[in-house]
Amino acid sequence: MNNRSTLLAIESSCDDTGVAVVQREGEDIRVLASLVTSQTDIHEKTGGVIPEIAAREHVQAIGPMITSVMKASGIVVEDIDAIAVTAYPGLMPSLAVGVQAAKTLAYAWNKPIVPVHHIEGHIYSALLEKQDNQFPAIVLIVSGGHTMLISVTDHLTYKVIGETRDDAVGEVFDKVARMLGLSYPGGPKLSVLAKQGNPNAFQFPRPMMNSHDLAFSYSGLKTAVLYQVQALGDDITEQQKADIAASFEQAIVDSLVGKLSYALDHGDYVAIGFAGGVAANERIREALTELAYKRSIDLLIAPKELCGDNAVMIGYAGLFAYEAGRARQWQEVDAAARKNIEECSK
Ligand code: KG4
Ligand code: ZN
């Protein structure tokens, strides 16, 4: 009996196709191969993701990626214990491509499937920055589709303690970037522009800062930025654009730090986790590093290459889920556009 688990992992919930092979042997977790194909160029033209187009691109990409990743990993089909796949939540046409690929392989290879919740993947991209004593952790997930605070009391044990009431942080970054004339996805471009600006030039609202709970809301901030951009009109200078970017980014930083501080004041945590596409943002990473230092608490931030959607994180969560008995036969696995992560707790 060996104690080694090897998974092929697949992610296709939005507009990035990911395939990876991950392996765990005792405490040692390795990535044997990983590929991500981004559709940014295609969605840049339409200013956002059109689900049917995203699904078509996943179909084109996924087969050759599976072949390449299997080859690069140096393993053979017999070495694979199970196939981990993002089954929920996400854009249904996109999710269906990855799930269908996993089911076809599971049938052909006679392997089980480990359905993984997309947010579980993001959580594990941060948690695995440390091997032990991570729990209880408070994990902040910020991406194009999600802004959530999750209390993780043990492996695969989740409680959502805060969520956005309207827009997700990444979505607001993209919308504000668009107001400033930056192309989709504008989040990373906006944060580059913000480096040239003064974060105190404009006073934008800090959403829900005094709400005495863990709910986030960003539509008010978005509207305030829009009114400011409209007030400056066509005469807006490059410096003013940079100042708006910096002031907006500072409002986001303050709101995220404020909510995390509130959560730390009202809970007993040994670590802060931070992941999701927006976790690539330098300013927010710096601010959380400062917060963790002040609070003398461990900070586990997903490495930059695992912030955006990828299959490595799905494989990481999949390894723990597989070992906890969450593997299923292919007939039992279906994609779902929505699912509460708490239902995936062990
Ligand atoms: O996790 P992700 O790749 O996809 C979703 O699951 O949504 O996150 C993508 C989001 C986009 O909104 C993008 O603009 C944002 O993450 N993003 C950033 C940065 N890098 C990516 N936002 C702010 N600053 C960044 N450096
Ligand atoms: Zn994501």
Side-chain angles (χ1 to χ4, degrees):
M1 173 85 187
N2 72 23
N3 67 344
R4 182 200 282 173
S5 308
T6 308
L7 302 191
L8 172 69
I10 297 174
E11 154 67 39
S12 72
S13 65
C14 187
D15 61 343
D16 295 303
T17 322
V19 180
V21 173
V22 296
Q23 191 169 66
R24 171 168 159 146
E25 201 161 7
E27 290 300 295
D28 190 20
I29 295 177
R30 302 185 277 269
V31 179
L32 300 187
S34 166
L35 278 179
V36 176
T37 303
S38 163
Q39 304 174 6
T40 306
D41 296 352
I42 292 149
H43 301 301
E44 194 173 346
K45 296 191 188 82
T46 46
V49 180
I50 296 174
E52 285 69 23
I53 294 179
R56 193 185 65 193
E57 294 300 316
H58 285 305
V59 171
Q60 294 291 332
I62 207 161
M65 285 174 71
I66 291 168
T67 306
S68 302
V69 165
M70 284 296 292
K71 209 169 176 182
S73 70
I75 62 156
V76 291
V77 169
E78 290 69 37
D79 297 328
I80 292 179
D81 293 296
I83 301 161
V85 64
T86 307
Y88 26 71
L91 301 172
M92 197 56 187
S94 292
L95 282 167
V97 177
V99 170
Q100 201 51 51
K103 290 174 78 153
T104 306
L105 291 175
Y107 174 77
W109 294 347
N110 195 24
K111 308 278 182 190
I113 294 183
V114 184
V116 173
H117 192 288
H118 182 75
I119 300 299
E120 276 188 295
H122 280 303
I123 290 172
Y124 271 87
S125 70
L127 280 187
L128 289 191
E129 284 299 289
K130 194 164 178 259
Q131 289 296 333
D132 52 9
N133 297 327
Q134 305 104 312
F135 306 116
I138 170 97
V139 183
L140 175 65
I141 302 294
V142 271
S143 71
H146 303 271
T147 300
M148 321 174 77
L149 274 172
I150 300 162
S151 163
V152 185
T153 46
D154 196 356
H155 281 295
L156 309 168
T157 311
Y158 318 107
K159 185 157 177 46
V160 178
I161 58 171
E163 264 184 291
T164 181
R165 293 194 176 160
D166 38 56
D167 295 11
V169 171
E171 195 180 347
V172 193
F173 260 98
D174 294 339
K175 285 178 180 166
V176 168
R178 195 177 184 161
M179 295 173 202
L180 298 175
L182 303 169
S183 64
Y184 178 87
K189 294 166 197 146
L190 185 140
S191 64
V192 171
L193 180 62
K195 289 203 171 80
Q196 318 297 324
N198 172 5
N200 301 312
F202 296 95
Q203 283 313 307
F204 294 130
R206 271 60 178 153
M208 315 275 291
M209 278 291 267
N210 300 311
S211 64
H212 301 292
D213 62 18
L214 293 170
F216 301 85
S217 166
Y218 292 102
S219 64
L221 171 60
K222 182 181 67 183
T223 309
V225 177
L226 178 65
Y227 287 165
Q228 187 60 64
V229 173
Q230 284 174 343
L232 292 166
D234 292 340
D235 298 332
I236 189 167
T237 65
E238 288 309 308
Q239 186 57 48
Q240 284 169 329
K241 284 186 185 174
D243 287 344
I244 288 177
S247 303
F248 161 76
E249 193 174 56
Q250 189 59 46
I252 296 281
V253 164
D254 290 347
S255 102
L256 295 178
V257 169
K259 290 294 168 182
L260 259 177
S261 302
Y262 187 88
L264 293 173
D265 287 342
H266 293 84
D268 209 3
Y269 301 102
V270 301
I272 299 172
F274 182 41
V278 182
N281 183 286
E282 283 296 340
R283 274 291 297 120
I284 307 175
R285 290 171 88 97
E286 281 164 19
L288 296 198
T289 305
E290 204 175 305
L291 172 71
Y293 178 76
K294 275 194 203 146
R295 298 278 187 146
S296 307
I297 186 170
D298 274 339
L299 176 65
L300 312 176
I301 306 190
K304 277 203 177 163
E305 67 277 13
L306 296 186
C307 285
D309 292 344
N310 64 85
V312 169
M313 66 183 195
I314 302 305
Y316 283 169
L319 282 170
F320 287 90
Y322 174 68
E323 287 162 15
R326 260 173 48 188
R328 296 286 174 268
Q329 294 306 303
W330 65 268
Q331 298 94 326
E332 299 172 283
V333 178
D334 280 310
R338 292 179 175 277
K339 179 146 180 133
N340 188 331
I341 189 174
E342 292 173 8
E343 290 172 38
C344 302
S345 293
K346 70 176 179 209

